[in-house]
Amino acid sequence: MPNRRHFIKQSGLFLAATTLPLPDYLIPKNKEKLGVALVGLGNYSSSQLAPALQETRFCELRGIVTGSPQKIPVWQKKYGIKDGNVYNYENMPDIANNEEIDVIYIVLPTGLHAEYAIKAAETGKHVWCEKPMARTAEECKNIINACEKNKVKLSIGYRMQHEANTQKLIKWADTKPFGAIKSLEAEAGYYGSPMNPWKLKKEMGGGAMYDMGVYPLNAARYSTGMEPIAVSATHSTNRPEIFTEVDETTSFELEFPDGITAKCKTSFGENLNNLEINCENGWYYLRPFQSYSGVKGKASDGTILPPFGKNQQAVQMDDDARAILNKTPVLVPGEDGLRDIVILEKIYESAAKKGERLMLG
């Protein structure tokens, strides 16, 4: 498996959109916008992605796929979606014949990602898949294979990698302005009450580690520019009557080359939102580091990382649309999502073995 720095360089991460004007070479030669169809009209689609698509430069909302007929007239009225661009889960393959749809964005519970991402790839449309990529590494590989077979681009919805302050930390992992990285802490969580029902179901990809844990996991990788070589983890809960199938809180430690350690935590029972990197000659942090807005931080030399005003999801989707239009690599490829799930599976295995240290391949 390539190291994290390989992913960054291959994906052209530092060419992502920022608050600065786009260089000429980043502006697609074909100015026509790509048509996006959202699969699943739950909270993330309705409150984040659909509004963000109204702010994008290179793509627009043109289609929906839903199993809830009552939502259709609401979405059509709000976003002007044509009757011919409305689909359900049974006739979703018909999108193959719709020239107005260029991208299918999978925004379903994690346990359904593989099934519908593969169906999306088989239509010949490009695939955007929300994080986490899938429940298992095998499912991730099946998605990647389906996209390769159908010659379509695949991008995973890690919006933070498109965010300007996060990109600065990723660059610092390479340039090391405060000396070699020694350790880091990453935490992401919220107090869920009541909980979204599917997030309590194991078969649907529920649990804190899948939902929020991929934020600190992915952050540990992009903040060091390395891949972990070992992991240990434990689960805990204060509400066992609610969390009967999945984890409420997971604490895990990742070991990287050169003795670098990452202490991480995720939870449905605590409000957590911190990323701090400690180096030989200083430190820097983002607090909050994975909120939808207001990501900001500071460094030990007094450098301030102020929040940027651009919509994160709009930047993410424009970056991915530009990669399609310019035929360049996406910022967050399927291999990146796969690697997180490989590690995540080891985290669960370690927790089941009461925190046993496990090596990663």
Side-chain angles (χ1 to χ4, degrees):
M1 182 66 64
N3 63 26
R4 178 69 195 171
R5 191 166 290 110
H6 174 83
F7 282 134
I8 293 170
K9 290 181 178 178
Q10 289 299 309
S11 63
L13 183 57
F14 302 121
L15 300 182
T18 67
T19 55
L20 299 175
L22 288 172
D24 289 342
Y25 64 85
L26 279 182
I27 299 175
K29 304 301 183 293
N30 179 359
K31 298 295 179 64
E32 183 180 354
K33 291 187 174 184
L34 298 177
V36 177
L38 296 176
V39 181
L41 305 183
N43 180 65
Y44 193 65
S45 281
S46 61
S47 65
Q48 301 299 327
L49 294 178
L53 279 161
Q54 310 315 301
E55 300 184 32
T56 52
R57 294 178 60 185
F58 306 121
C59 53
E60 62 186 8
L61 177 59
R62 290 188 193 153
I64 54 175
V65 180
T66 181
S68 303
Q70 71 276 12
K71 294 182 180 180
I72 295 172
V74 177
W75 278 68
Q76 286 191 298
K77 181 178 180 180
K78 189 169 184 178
Y79 296 111
I81 297 169
K82 300 177 183 178
D83 289 344
N85 291 349
V86 175
Y87 298 87
N88 56 48
Y89 297 118
E90 287 69 41
N91 67 13
M92 178 179 155
D94 294 344
I95 295 178
N97 304 314
N98 190 334
E99 294 184 356
E100 295 187 3
I101 305 298
D102 304 288
V103 178
I104 298 177
Y105 196 153
I106 308 302
V107 203
L108 294 165
T110 304
L112 299 174
H113 282 187
E115 177 182 354
Y116 287 94
I118 291 170
K119 286 183 177 181
E122 289 173 346
T123 68
K125 308 298 182 178
H126 301 289
V127 181
W128 297 347
C129 182
E130 196 43 53
K131 65 83 194 162
M133 185 174 175
R135 276 195 66 215
T136 68
E138 181 179 2
E139 288 181 344
C140 292
K141 292 174 184 176
N142 290 340
I143 295 172
I144 292 170
N145 290 339
C147 290
E148 290 179 348
K149 178 181 178 182
N150 290 281
K151 296 181 173 59
V152 298
K153 285 187 179 292
L154 169 64
S155 184
I156 310 303
Y158 281 100
R159 61 188 165 81
M160 300 318 305
Q161 292 195 37
H162 301 257
E163 191 274 330
N165 282 329
T166 306
Q167 288 180 6
K168 184 164 289 187
L169 264 62
I170 294 171
K171 184 176 182 179
W172 284 354
D174 192 42
T175 61
K176 297 179 173 57
F178 299 92
I181 295 172
K182 292 298 185 181
S183 65
L184 68 90
E185 295 182 7
E187 299 177 323
Y190 62 90
Y191 183 80
S193 181
M195 288 298 303
N196 186 318
W198 76 259
K199 293 185 180 182
L200 297 173
K201 300 293 184 183
K202 183 177 180 180
E203 66 179 15
M204 295 301 287
M209 189 64 220
Y210 275 100
D211 186 49
M212 297 299 291
V214 290
Y215 285 114
L217 171 54
N218 200 249
R221 295 174 55 230
Y222 63 62
S223 295
T224 59
M226 297 179 179
E227 295 296 338
I229 56 177
V231 63
S232 56
T234 57
H235 295 318
S236 61
T237 181
N238 291 321
R239 295 176 288 174
E241 71 281 3
I242 296 175
F243 295 91
T244 58
E245 295 184 20
V246 299
D247 55 308
E248 179 181 18
T249 298
T250 297
S251 299
F252 58 101
E253 182 170 311
L254 302 172
E255 299 174 32
F256 292 87
D258 303 327
I260 300 171
T261 58
K263 291 187 176 181
C264 305
K265 187 176 184 180
T266 186
S267 182
F268 282 154
E270 296 181 60
N271 293 315
L272 306 167
N273 206 332
N274 176 57
L275 173 60
E276 181 171 342
I277 294 89
N278 300 297
C279 308
E280 277 183 325
N281 305 317
W283 48 261
Y284 45 94
Y285 66 75
L286 292 178
R287 299 188 194 120
F289 93 92
Q290 52 79 32
S291 296
Y292 291 148
S293 62
V295 172
K296 60 184 179 179
K298 187 178 180 180
S300 57
D301 66 352
T303 298
I304 301 296
L305 303 174
F308 289 83
K310 298 191 78 171
N311 182 294
Q312 292 173 6
Q313 288 86 355
V315 172
Q316 169 200 323
M317 291 186 284
D318 264 346
D319 284 346
D320 290 336
R322 193 163 49 247
I324 292 169
L325 290 164
N326 286 339
K327 298 181 180 180
T328 55
V330 299
L331 271 66
V332 189
E335 289 77 8
D336 201 346
L338 164 63
R339 186 58 182 165
D340 271 354
I341 300 304
V342 168
I343 300 167
L344 186 148
E345 288 183 320
K346 283 290 186 181
I347 288 171
Y348 275 108
E349 182 182 346
S350 173
K353 295 179 178 180
K354 308 301 182 183
E356 180 180 332
R357 179 179 181 269
L358 300 177
M359 299 302 295
L360 290 161

